[in-house]
Amino acid sequence: MDWSFVVGIIYLLNTIFAVVVIFFERRNPTATLAWLMVLFFLPLIGFVLYLFLGQNYTRQRLFTLKEKDDATLGSIFEEQHRRLLEGQYWLSNPEAEQYRDVILALLRSNRALLTQDNRIEIYTDGKEKFEALFAAIRNASHHIHLEYFIVNNDELGREVVHALAAKAKEGLEVRLLFDALGARAGGGSRAAFRELTDAGGYIGVFFPSIYRVNYRNHRKIAVIDGRIGFIGGFNIGDEYLGKGPLGYWRDTAVKITGQAVKMLQLRFFLDWNFTTNEYLRADPVYFPEQDGGGTTAVQIVSGGPDTRRSPIKEGYIKLINAARESVYLQTPYFIPDDSISDALRLAALSGVDVRLMIPCKPDHPFVYWATLSFAADLLDSGVRVYTYDNGFIHAKTIVVDGKAGSVGSANWDVRSFRLNFEANAFFYDAAVGAEVKKRFLQDLALSTEITQEWYRERSRRIRIKESISRLFSPLG
């Protein structure tokens, strides 16, 4: 074999990819420079990485999802936005009024409609969360809609499929949407869902190309009868019950009853229609009128490559900027851009108690070491950083001043902000905020604080891992 010819072809392809990155894909400058370095200095590795991570050619097709979203929400959004902007919209609790500008920003950038009659229950333990989900499934009377990044073919995964199949046999409409890459990584395949499809249920496989790491559906949503909704960080698999190699699994999800469930239902409809080409119509039976019996104001915010902005990131920044006393956030992956880092730094420098909690162990080593590096960058600004030691923390939460915050699927990294489809619930309520803050403070007793002294004395081996991981962190 003429290896010089092969090398020449690889360099030619790398040059073509470099031209595409610079002139056609309109990436941010940091990502562009990172890709150019990889393509030219690691030609063979860069070639393979670009095939799996780099291409953006499918992104334009994904904008059709946003167009459907716009058409569906247009008239409702315009009316609510006008009333909020003009101060005519009555906000049901003082926290919603206090964070009116956050609500307005999310409403305008993401058409995240505000609902105000919601009740929220918080779950930080997998066993409790799935007990609540199974109870809702058992009591369902018309339809069950589940959308998860990962549905493992393990004990919990099979239990969920069995419960769904039982309801399908009763004549209920049952739909299960999962990401092809997430399910395959978790050992799932179409055969694992045969019990459900044989019973009359339906499955949707998002983005069947498992050879693309980008543009995955990372959302975790469940809607039961249009009356009960779940959203958060838990996928479906035994490790989310603490039965995996990482030990106890600390995550956060919420159960919602109230008008916000309609927004979760709409999110499911849009994702299902896009994935399956089955056009579910907005029949009132899927969007029943109900009084949630609560006073929590909620916005369901979606992000992904079908949006030209990063609405969840923008919501995080608005919350940080609104903080006067405290900002507490938890995430397994912390690879921020300058806007996030600057917001956290400025909050800490202005006297706000800013605390960040990350895992003490990696599930993805490159991401873990990059996370440690970026988190440590904030220490000299007064941000306090902790590693959660009681297993693995997978929660994606923020709470400011114990009054407002967010729970959902979006990590604090470039992949969640730009490349994956995510969904978060932003809440404005002192009781809910106080509970999220309380859970965070309880976790501090199971955590270790990273000090500047400890970080300066880390080993050379850790420094090398951080440097390499940080170099690759902008790729995507």
Side-chain angles (χ1 to χ4, degrees), residues 54-288:
Q55 308 158 66
N56 274 344
Y57 63 82
T58 55
R59 184 165 180 153
Q60 291 302 319
R61 175 173 174 261
L62 297 175
F63 279 121
T64 61
L65 187 61
K66 181 62 177 173
E67 292 168 2
K68 290 181 181 179
D69 195 341
D70 290 346
T72 303
L73 291 176
S75 61
I76 304 174
F77 158 78
E78 295 296 345
E79 174 64 13
Q80 188 175 72
H81 179 256
R82 182 187 64 78
R83 293 171 64 192
L84 268 172
L85 195 60
E86 296 175 0
Q88 298 175 4
Y89 196 86
W90 178 70
L91 296 172
S92 61
N93 65 48
E95 291 73 48
E97 184 61 50
Q98 181 177 348
Y99 298 97
R100 178 184 284 265
D101 59 333
V102 181
I103 294 168
L104 267 173
L106 293 174
L107 182 61
R108 189 167 188 176
S109 70
N110 193 240
R111 300 196 169 182
L113 299 183
L114 180 72
T115 60
Q116 303 190 80
D117 68 334
N118 303 286
R119 294 174 59 89
I120 286 183
E121 296 180 47
I122 301 169
Y123 302 99
T124 56
D125 176 81
K127 183 178 179 181
E128 294 177 351
K129 187 267 182 180
F130 284 104
E131 284 178 351
L133 178 61
F134 280 122
I137 290 173
R138 285 193 300 269
N139 294 325
S141 60
H142 182 264
H143 66 268
I144 301 168
H145 293 157
L146 268 59
E147 176 177 349
Y148 284 86
F149 175 56
I150 294 174
V151 182
N152 283 346
N153 185 19
D154 55 18
E155 184 178 353
L156 179 61
R158 289 189 290 271
E159 189 177 355
V160 169
V161 170
H162 181 72
L164 295 176
K167 300 304 289 189
K169 288 179 181 177
E170 293 178 13
L172 275 68
E173 295 181 23
V174 179
R175 296 178 177 88
L176 173 61
L177 175 63
F178 55 88
D179 185 87
L181 181 63
R184 184 64 61 89
S189 67
R190 285 182 179 270
F193 306 99
R194 187 166 296 136
E195 181 186 5
L196 174 57
T197 55
D198 287 349
Y202 303 92
I203 64 170
V205 184
F206 189 92
F207 204 1
S209 173
I210 64 170
Y211 303 105
R212 292 297 311 281
V213 177
N214 294 342
Y215 313 137
R216 309 316 314 192
N217 188 339
H218 196 241
R219 294 167 179 150
K220 292 93 172 167
I221 292 171
V223 179
I224 315 298
D225 290 338
R227 298 181 179 278
I228 297 174
F230 293 84
I231 186 171
F234 288 99
N235 285 296
I236 297 175
D238 286 349
E239 64 265 39
Y240 300 92
L241 297 177
K243 298 179 180 179
L246 295 174
Y248 181 74
W249 194 274
R250 168 64 174 84
D251 217 320
T252 303
V254 294
K255 174 185 174 183
I256 303 174
T257 53
Q259 296 297 317
V261 179
K262 290 183 177 181
M263 300 300 104
L264 291 176
Q265 183 82 289
L266 178 60
R267 180 71 271 155
F268 178 87
F269 268 45
L270 293 168
D271 292 348
W272 181 266
N273 291 349
F274 173 74
T275 302
T276 66
N277 294 318
E278 173 196 359
Y279 189 72
L280 286 174
R281 298 187 179 277
D283 189 290
V285 73
Y286 298 113
F287 298 88

